[in-house]
Amino acid sequence: MYTFDKKVDTSKIVPFIKSTLKQIMASTDSRQIFYFLIINLFFCGVELTYGIWTNSLGLISDGFHMLFDCAALLVGLLAALMQKWPKTRVYSYGFARVDMCRVT
């Protein structure tokens, strides 16, 4: 039913990451969301690590809360990128309305 013998083509992953980062850095609003996401992920990691080290349930729960905040920022970043996509035959006005999902 499932075949796990297929090799993942990593030659397409690196150009995709580079082009995505280039799109993020091109726009001011997506760049700000990206920077805040990186800072939030860093503090989330520090809080979770220190909470596990000191056995503090408050720090651990706040670390997971920050992790869900990062998920919301990721949705906002995706919406900021999708807003720049060109129009298609199905979406004749483009994806500009996806801006409503963005967290800014």
Side-chain angles (χ1 to χ4, degrees), residues 17-81:
I17 292 173
K18 284 183 179 181
S19 68
T20 304
L21 283 175
K22 191 175 183 180
Q23 286 177 347
I24 290 171
M25 294 302 166
S27 176
T28 304
D29 53 350
S30 62
R31 189 178 334 126
Q32 289 176 348
I33 294 172
F34 179 70
Y35 288 155
F36 189 68
L37 175 66
I38 297 299
I39 291 169
N40 206 8
L41 277 173
F42 174 73
F43 280 113
C44 175
V46 168
E47 207 167 49
L48 279 173
T49 304
Y50 193 71
I52 291 171
W53 184 33
T54 60
N55 205 17
S56 171
L57 187 60
L59 284 176
I60 294 171
S61 65
D62 193 46
F64 278 112
H65 176 245
M66 287 180 72
L67 195 62
F68 287 115
D69 287 344
C70 290
L73 285 170
L74 197 60
V75 168
L77 184 61
L78 180 65
L81 291 178

